[in-house]
Amino acid sequence: VYKRQDQDVERLFPQVKEPVLICPAEQGPIPMAEKRQLVQAAVDKIPRAEVVWFEDTAHDIHVDRPKALASAMLEFAKEVSP
């Protein structure tokens, strides 16, 4: 979830009907309080959103923690698959 000043992406969240896995990293350029607020706004407005936080990880989760990310994605896919 990333907030751009030139776009109001939050207004689009309720239109998302498919399951969404949000995988934010705790480290990075966005202060943690702001990041938690942005993620919570997405979870509150996306009907089928789920969050898996990645501690001790920066922006490149797929590089820093590939196995943990793959595991989270596979678990999520199992949960949402019919």
Side-chain angles (χ1 to χ4, degrees), residues 38-59:
L38 290 168
V39 169
Q40 191 58 53
V43 170
D44 290 345
K45 294 178 182 174
I46 298 174
R48 298 175 67 192
E50 194 172 307
V51 179
V52 174
W53 284 93
F54 284 82
E55 299 174 358
D56 301 321
T57 305
H59 176 75

Side-chain angles (χ1 to χ4, degrees), residues 18-36:
E18 298 301 321
V20 174
L21 177 62
I22 302 171
C23 296
E26 287 193 350
Q27 298 175 358
I30 301 173
M32 195 59 195
E34 182 180 350
K35 191 179 294 188
R36 287 199 181 278

